[in-house]
Amino acid sequence: MTTDSPRPPPRRTFSLALGGPQLKGLLWQILVVGMALAIIAFLWSNTVHNLSARRISTGFAFLGREAGMPIADSLLSYSPKDTYFWAFVVGIANTLRVAVIGIVLATILGTLIGISRLSANWLLSRLAAVYVEVLRDIPLLLQLLFWYVLMQALPAARAAWRPIDGIFLSNRGLILPSIPIGEGQLGVLGAAALGALVFYIIRRALIAQQMRDGKPRAAWPFALGLIVVLPALVSWQLGVRWTIAWPELRGFNFVGGLTLAPEYFALLIALVTYTSAFIAEIVRSGIQSVPRGQWDAANALGLRRSFMLRQIILPQALRVIVPPMTSQYLNLTKNSSLAVAIGYQDVVSIANTTLNQTGQAIEAIALIMAVFLTISLSISFFMNWYNARIALVER
């Protein structure tokens, strides 16, 4: 007795027969692409002709000239004698400084607010709902101006608020203790990052072995050795001294520590609170998309609610949460350009100043577009990779 083996599906052949649908589709695609290239070429030639007729120089040679513009709050060292190119690099660093920290804080706060909306505590769920509805319905620019005016209304440096020893809040911004980072400290941090990467690889190998033979293997000794002991040995070998720089008031300003300028602090608060309201709704809908049977099964096993959320519900909800979360990350990054309204010098503000000083409008705007396009594509690439990694694999 024989059984018929399943036949493979027939292969699709590509035929360019005269009058065939595939040939027509190819011709239409060539026609559309050709028209798009023709329009771009016309616009480019027209722009170059008009600029030359008005004797406006073009090109990016101005990036090598001295900028002469001051940048009050910069993550990188900068002087007005530096070039326009370095000024743009400083602006990009300031933009990333807002975007990266804002994404992390907005994700944490939005997740907590979204979980609170589903809490059995009536007061907590209502407060979370009010937070979401109020902040989503007020334009971000108004919230940004509100926080900036509020920062300006804080007391002067001599009468600064001191909620915790070593932390000051005044109209000069938020002043925090800091740890000076030198070459030795960077070496230790690099060793810690390398140890964390090696531990991640080892942990995945241990999980794979457990899936094969069912025997659990402890991973904490590897974590202790690679993330704690290895950096400590590197620090001891290099003779690195870890000191804390405590801020102190001298005259009318603070010396030492880390200063978050009022413009940066107001921008960060506005972006985090506004974006977290949208993230909270994404998290809430993602959790509610998990079938109720998952909750009932976990309750039947007597599991704690925190354990259920962390190990059962949220891993399944991530498949619904991650795609719209990507849009919120992109929105937060692009909304950081509103910094120009309060005087925080990000890449948009520096490009505007460069435009006014050099008259290179097209080049300055093209640089802004290139920067935000690169950042947005990087965020999208990472989130798409993570979304594919957590997706269900069909057999």
Side-chain angles (χ1 to χ4, degrees), residues 139-199:
L140 176 58
L141 181 59
L142 293 181
Q143 296 187 38
L144 177 60
L145 295 176
F146 168 79
W147 287 110
Y148 181 66
V149 171
L150 190 63
M151 290 294 298
Q152 297 299 319
L154 291 175
R158 288 184 172 273
W161 294 347
R162 194 174 181 178
I164 303 176
D165 190 24
I167 297 178
F168 300 90
L169 184 62
S170 68
N171 56 8
R172 300 296 179 92
L174 179 65
I175 296 89
L176 305 169
S178 64
I179 300 177
I181 302 297
E183 294 182 0
Q185 286 81 0
L186 287 177
V188 176
L189 294 177
L194 179 61
L197 177 61
V198 174
F199 170 71

Side-chain angles (χ1 to χ4, degrees), residues 63 71 74-78 83-97 345-347 350-351 354 367 371:
L63 292 175
I71 300 179
S74 61
L75 185 63
L76 305 176
S77 60
Y78 172 81
T83 62
Y84 282 110
F85 174 78
W86 185 247
F88 269 100
V89 173
V90 172
I92 294 171
N94 285 349
T95 298
L96 292 175
R97 181 187 177 194
Q345 291 175 292
D346 66 334
V347 66
I350 292 175
T354 302
L367 287 174
V371 168

Side-chain angles (χ1 to χ4, degrees), residues 243-261:
T243 58
I244 299 177
W246 296 93
E248 57 178 335
L249 181 64
R250 292 183 183 177
F252 296 97
N253 206 348
F254 293 94
V255 177
L258 175 64
T259 300
L260 302 181

